[in-house]
Amino acid sequence: MKEEIVSLKNTWVYFNDILVLEDVTFSLKKNDFVSLIGPNGGGKTTILKIILGLIKPDKGEVFVFGKAPEKGRKSIGYLPQYSFVDLNFPINVFEVVLMGRYDTVGKGYSKEDKDRALNALKTVGMLEYKDRQIGRLSSGQLQRIYIARAICREPELLLLDEPTASVDPEMQKSFYELLSELKKKMAVILVTHDISVVSVYVDSVACLNRRLFYHGSSEAALKKLEQVYECPIELLAHGIPHRVLKKHGK
């Protein structure tokens, strides 16, 4: 049986008296690839921030690698939904990825740090771009660079918050294939609105809309999505309403 690395038990979160998460119990095991799916405002990003120790639940217990999140997050790589970067800044790809070794900042980067940065670039298929200024990359290439920065620390868990929101469909396929390879080395939690990921790439799905409606196999999850979104759906697109396949029942 695989080792459990994340555990949320009976977790409640309020923001200014507004209920964000209601009695959520969720667990993740080593090398799991889980898609966290649900409508905007459903609490998906909140769960990632709880795991990272950035948000403390109002009620419930949270353990990350058997520790409090603030200590367990040392073994986590994180790609937030929005990365604010000045693309005109004179910094190259290698230097951006090397920032993932931030634990050594102040001491100077070692040969090991640089070797791990190069290895991370190789893993995401971007080694040949290591000397390129970041403003000369496509959005899909930039996301791979951010992934390389996140895995440069060789984490045991990778958290990704809607990483393909600005990536074209052709690049999305290769991006998901990259994640399938990464899960051989680490667990992955992927926040997404892309239902095609649910049926093709991930091992399991957590359907969330304040409450956790389902956490299990991707096949059964597709049947639960109507309950989560409160109408039949084919595709959830970031920032726009979902597309309805049939008329709502009365």
Side-chain angles (χ1 to χ4, degrees), residues 85-87 89 91-93 96 132-137 142:
V85 177
D86 181 359
L87 296 179
F89 192 79
I91 189 171
N92 64 32
V93 164
V96 170
R132 182 169 295 191
Q133 193 271 337
I134 57 169
R136 296 172 55 209
L137 300 174
L142 270 174

Side-chain angles (χ1 to χ4, degrees), residues 172-183:
Q172 286 181 18
K173 182 176 183 295
S174 64
F175 190 85
Y176 292 135
E177 288 173 349
L178 167 62
L179 297 185
S180 295
E181 287 299 310
L182 289 177
K183 66 148 283 190

Side-chain angles (χ1 to χ4, degrees), residues 13 15 45-47 49-57 69-70:
V13 174
F15 291 160
T45 298
T46 299
I47 283 188
K49 290 184 176 181
I50 288 173
I51 294 171
L52 287 164
L54 301 177
I55 291 176
K56 185 176 178 60
E70 294 83 356

Side-chain angles (χ1 to χ4, degrees), residues 7-226:
S7 173
L8 278 69
K9 295 182 179 178
N10 307 116
T11 305
W12 295 69
V13 174
Y14 293 85
F15 291 160
N16 298 321
D17 296 323
I18 297 173
L19 180 62
V20 178
L21 290 181
E22 178 183 349
D23 199 23
V24 170
T25 294
F26 169 83
S27 64
L28 182 76
K29 295 183 178 180
K30 191 173 182 178
N31 295 105
D32 279 353
F33 186 2
V34 177
S35 174
L36 190 56
I37 196 164
N40 288 332
K44 303 182 299 297
T45 298
T46 299
I47 283 188
L48 298 190
K49 290 184 176 181
I50 288 173
I51 294 171
L52 287 164
L54 301 177
I55 291 176
K56 185 176 178 60
D58 293 278
K59 290 190 288 185
E61 295 181 338
V62 182
F63 295 98
V64 178
F65 298 103
K67 308 171 185 176
E70 294 83 356
K71 296 182 179 179
R73 67 186 175 200
K74 292 181 179 180
S75 299
I76 298 176
Y78 176 46
L79 178 58
Q81 184 173 355
Y82 303 107
S83 295
F84 299 101
V85 177
D86 181 359
L87 296 179
N88 293 316
F89 192 79
I91 189 171
N92 64 32
V93 164
F94 176 72
E95 292 166 329
V96 170
V97 175
L98 193 57
M99 290 178 181
R101 302 290 298 170
Y102 60 80
D103 285 345
T104 65
V105 170
K107 303 175 183 177
Y109 292 113
S110 66
K111 183 180 184 301
E112 180 185 1
D113 292 329
K114 295 175 182 178
D115 287 345
R116 288 192 179 185
L118 291 172
N119 186 59
L121 281 169
K122 183 178 180 181
T123 298
V124 302
M126 293 292 291
L127 184 58
E128 64 184 288
Y129 297 91
K130 67 181 180 67
D131 297 319
R132 182 169 295 191
Q133 193 271 337
I134 57 169
R136 296 172 55 209
L137 300 174
S138 69
S139 59
Q141 289 172 331
L142 270 174
Q143 286 300 78
R144 284 178 174 261
I145 296 308
Y146 297 148
I147 288 283
R149 182 178 61 185
I151 67 173
C152 190
R153 304 176 64 216
E154 298 185 347
E156 297 179 60
L157 170 60
L158 180 63
L159 305 180
L160 305 168
D161 196 350
E162 297 191 45
T164 62
S166 60
V167 179
D168 64 67
E170 183 177 350
M171 287 295 292
Q172 286 181 18
K173 182 176 183 295
S174 64
F175 190 85
Y176 292 135
E177 288 173 349
L178 167 62
L179 297 185
S180 295
E181 287 299 310
L182 289 177
K183 66 148 283 190
K184 297 174 183 178
K185 301 179 181 179
M186 63 194 72
V188 179
I189 298 180
L190 170 69
V191 171
T192 183
H193 283 298
D194 188 351
I195 294 177
S196 65
V197 178
V198 172
S199 58
V200 177
Y201 296 102
V202 303
D203 299 323
S204 63
V205 177
C207 301
L208 183 74
N209 189 1
R210 291 195 309 184
R211 293 186 290 117
L212 189 64
F213 284 80
Y214 172 83
H215 182 199
S217 71
S218 56
E219 293 82 2
L222 294 173
K223 300 176 183 178
K224 284 286 184 180
L225 288 176
E226 289 192 16

